[in-house]
C-alpha cells in the first residue's frame, strides 16, 4: 500500500470514528452554546483566543479535554453532551434541539387569519451572532401590502432589532403607525423626518422631529425572509 493510500485510509478511519461518536458535530453544539454571542465575546468568557474558537466553530480543529471541561463549566452544559451530543442539556429545551432560537412576532401586527396564529419563528443562532445582536432585542413582523415593493412583498417576514431605533438615512425600520406595524425607509430632511415607501405610488409620511408624532419607530430591519408563493 502506498503512502498516499495509507494516508487516505487513516483520514477515512478518523472521519468514521468522529462520525460514529458524534464528535464531528461538535461545532454545531458549540454554536448552540454561544447563545447568540459573538466569537470574541465567547472567547473572553471561556478564557481562550478568538482564533481558537473560530477554528472550533469551523470544524477545523477540536478542543482537548481540558478545554472541553472549561467550556462545559463556563457554559453550564454537560461535557458528555458537548463532546458527543448524548444526554440531556438545558439548551435543547430552549431551542427544540436545533441550532436556533424562537423570535416572537410583534403583537400589534395584524394580518390574515391564516398567519395570525403563529406566535414565533425559529431563527439561526449563528445568524444572530454574525449580525451582532442580542436575541432578547429581536422581534418579527409580517409585511402587509405592497407599499415597499419590489424590496418587500406581502407576507414576507422581517426580523427587527429593537435596540436600534435611532433613525439613519436610507435604512429600513419597523414603525407603529395608525395602530398597525409598517415597514418604511427613513430619511432625515432638516427638521423633518420622512418615512418613505419603495413603491412610488404611495406617498411619504412627513413629520417634524421635535414634535410628538402619531408613529413610533420599533427598530431596525436586520433580516428579510421572502415569501416565494
Amino acid at each position: 500500500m502506498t503512502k498516499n493510500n495509507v494516508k487516505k485510509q487513516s483520514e477515512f478511519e478518523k472521519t468514521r470514528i468522529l462520525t460514529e461518536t458524534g464528535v464531528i458535530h461538535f461545532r454545531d453544539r458549540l454554536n448552540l452554546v454561544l447563545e447568540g454571542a459573538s466569537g470574541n465575546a465567547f472567547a473572553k468568557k471561556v478564557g481562550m483566543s478568538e482564533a481558537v474558537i473560530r477554528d472550533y466553530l469551523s470544524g477545523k480543529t477540536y478542543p482537548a479535554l481540558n478545554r472541553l471541561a472549561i467550556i462545559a463549566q463556563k457554559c453550564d452544559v454537560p461535557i458528555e453532551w458537548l463532546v458527543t451530543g448524548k444526554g440531556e442539556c438545558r439548551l435543547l429545551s430552549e431551542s427544540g434541539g436545533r441550532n436556533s432560537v424562537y423570535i416572537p412576532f410583534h403583537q400589534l401586527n395584524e394580518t390574515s387569519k391564516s398567519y395570525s396564529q403563529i406566535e414565533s419563528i425559529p431563527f439561526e443562532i449563528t445568524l444572530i451572532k454574525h449580525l451582532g445582536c442580542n436575541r432578547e432585542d429581536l422581534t418579527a413582523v409580517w409585511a402587509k401590502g405592497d407599499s415597499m415593493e419590489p424590496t418587500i412583498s406581502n407576507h414576507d417576514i422581517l426580523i427587527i432589532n429593537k435596540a436600534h431605533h435611532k433613525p439613519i438615512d436610507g435604512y429600513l425600520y419597523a414603525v407603529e403607525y395608525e395602530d398597525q406595524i409598517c415597514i418604511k425607509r427613513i430619511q432625515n430632511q432638516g427638521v423633518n423626518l420622512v418615512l418613505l415607501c419603495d413603491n412610488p405610488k404611495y406617498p411619504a409620511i412627513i413629520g417634524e422631529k421635535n414634535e410628538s408624532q402619531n408613529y413610533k419607530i420599533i427598530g431596525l430591519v436586520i433580516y428579510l425572509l421572502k415569501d416565494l408563493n
Side-chain angles (χ1 to χ4, degrees):
M1 184 178 292
T2 66
K3 288 184 179 180
N4 285 338
N5 287 336
V6 171
K7 183 178 180 180
K8 289 180 180 179
Q9 182 65 28
S10 176
E11 291 176 350
F12 174 81
E13 183 65 12
K14 178 181 178 181
T15 301
R16 183 186 66 80
I17 294 173
L18 290 174
T19 302
E20 289 181 356
T21 58
V23 174
I24 200 167
H25 297 299
F26 166 76
R27 65 178 180 180
D28 297 329
R29 292 185 290 277
L30 184 61
N31 266 311
L32 184 61
V33 166
L34 261 66
E35 297 187 276
S38 67
N40 182 51
F42 184 77
K44 291 179 180 178
K45 177 180 179 179
V46 299
M48 301 176 193
S49 72
E50 185 178 2
V52 166
I53 298 301
R54 189 163 54 244
D55 285 346
Y56 294 162
L57 291 170
S58 68
K60 183 179 179 180
T61 61
Y62 297 90
L65 185 58
N66 62 327
R67 288 188 168 179
L68 282 166
I70 291 171
I71 294 173
Q73 182 183 48
K74 294 287 187 180
C75 300
D76 189 27
V77 296
I79 191 169
E80 180 185 11
W81 171 83
L82 187 61
V83 178
T84 66
K86 297 177 181 178
E88 296 183 358
C89 176
R90 64 176 179 82
L91 297 173
L92 295 181
S93 60
E94 296 176 6
S95 64
R98 296 180 293 274
N99 189 25
S100 60
V101 294
Y102 281 82
I103 296 176
F105 278 93
H106 199 284
Q107 294 180 351
L108 294 182
N109 192 31
E110 297 288 341
T111 55
S112 64
K113 292 182 179 180
S114 61
Y115 288 84
S116 61
Q117 299 303 314
I118 302 175
E119 296 181 353
S120 62
I121 182 172
F123 196 74
E124 289 285 334
I125 288 178
T126 52
L127 286 175
I128 294 175
K129 176 191 68 175
H130 290 310
L131 292 168
C133 306
N134 294 318
R135 61 179 178 175
E136 295 82 6
D137 295 327
L138 302 182
T139 189
V141 299
W142 292 102
K144 186 178 181 181
D146 63 348
S147 67
M148 295 304 292
E149 288 279 11
T151 310
I152 300 169
S153 302
N154 193 39
H155 289 157
D156 286 350
I157 299 175
L158 300 106
I159 306 300
I160 312 300
N161 187 353
K162 296 182 292 183
H164 293 280
H165 47 74
K166 184 177 180 180
I168 302 174
D169 279 2
Y171 283 74
L172 294 170
Y173 290 82
V175 180
E176 288 185 24
Y177 180 69
E178 295 183 346
D179 296 324
Q180 293 188 9
I181 300 297
C182 57
I183 307 299
K184 300 298 177 189
R185 198 175 296 279
I186 294 291
Q187 186 178 83
N188 289 280
Q189 293 184 357
V191 297
N192 293 329
L193 186 67
V194 183
L195 308 181
L196 299 172
C197 301
D198 283 4
N199 190 335
K201 75 178 185 180
Y202 289 89
I205 301 170
I206 303 175
E208 290 190 20
K209 297 177 183 177
N210 297 326
E211 290 187 359
S212 178
Q213 304 295 336
N214 59 348
Y215 60 80
K216 174 185 175 183
I217 296 177
I218 304 287
L220 176 70
V221 175
I222 61 169
Y223 208 82
L224 170 63
L225 302 170
K226 296 293 292 182
D227 184 358
L228 300 180
N229 294 323

